[in-house]
Amino acid sequence: MKQENDSSLCANRLASLPYMWSVTTDSLNRDSIRWRFLKKITTDALPLKNNWTIIELKKSGEVVRILNYVICYRESDAVVFTYRYESGSWQKVGEKNASLTRADAEIPVKRASFSRTGYQHDVIITNFSDDSLVSSIYYMPYMLRNGNRIVKLLN
């Protein structure tokens, strides 16, 4: 982080992560909401061919909202499926076409200061190709810049 106070915010955030995401090495938590989401999208028969992306979004506030987006890329655009976690299960709440390419979801992590010009929620972007994991990146609040196509989708 570029600024001293940003470094302390990151250190505090990193210290809290084990409590937020307790994971046992070499095991799968089949009761996790992530696992339930993967089961849900396979039963929904989405067009998960070639290149696709899952975006996990946690909107914190008075009420925490958990949203996931599945982006299935086509030749020149994509179809985006929106899911919301409510009352213990995933519900598909939307489907739309979007002018997105795989490159839009490959956002590099840059050293930067937190700023109000950044997107204010936790985001995980996971890219797949031919049913194989390509990358998975966690972005802390304010690390994604407002204005890029992915953030516009999330708003």
Side-chain angles (χ1 to χ4, degrees):
M1 294 285 104
K2 290 182 179 178
Q3 302 195 7
E4 186 73 28
N5 58 340
D6 292 345
S7 296
S8 65
L9 287 172
C10 285
N12 183 38
R13 187 74 170 198
L14 286 171
S16 70
L17 285 178
Y19 300 103
M20 291 171 30
W21 295 333
S22 58
V23 176
T24 304
T25 305
D26 297 328
S27 70
L28 294 175
N29 180 354
R30 295 182 193 279
D31 293 324
S32 73
I33 62 172
R34 280 179 129 188
W35 187 265
R36 290 182 201 174
F37 179 71
L38 292 174
K39 284 180 66 176
K40 175 71 174 163
I41 65 173
T42 57
T43 60
D44 282 356
L46 301 182
L48 303 175
K49 301 175 189 171
N50 301 326
N51 296 317
W52 48 289
T53 298
I54 294 176
I55 299 177
E56 300 169 78
L57 171 61
K58 183 178 79 172
K59 289 189 171 186
S60 297
E62 290 145 3
V63 175
V64 174
R65 291 180 292 151
I66 300 174
L67 300 165
N68 281 5
Y69 300 84
V70 180
I71 304 171
C72 300
Y73 302 102
R74 300 184 288 209
E75 298 268 334
S76 59
D77 66 350
V79 60
V80 179
F81 301 91
T82 306
Y83 288 82
R84 182 180 301 134
Y85 187 74
E86 291 183 325
S87 303
S89 66
W90 287 101
Q91 304 299 318
K92 186 173 160 187
V93 294
E95 178 179 336
K96 67 179 180 179
N97 293 327
S99 179
L100 291 170
T101 66
R102 173 64 172 270
D104 293 320
E106 295 174 348
I107 305 169
V109 176
K110 295 181 182 177
R111 287 178 55 118
S113 61
F114 288 119
S115 73
R116 293 290 169 200
T117 61
Y119 189 66
Q120 64 183 349
H121 303 292
D122 292 280
V123 177
I124 300 172
I125 299 176
T126 305
N127 292 304
F128 297 88
S129 183
D130 297 321
D131 292 330
S132 296
L133 175 68
V134 174
S135 64
S136 187
I137 301 175
Y138 166 65
Y139 299 90
M140 291 177 19
Y142 303 106
M143 295 302 292
L144 287 175
R145 298 262 182 242
N146 282 325
N148 71 44
R149 289 182 176 183
I150 293 299
V151 171
K152 285 179 183 177
L153 171 73
L154 301 178
N155 283 328

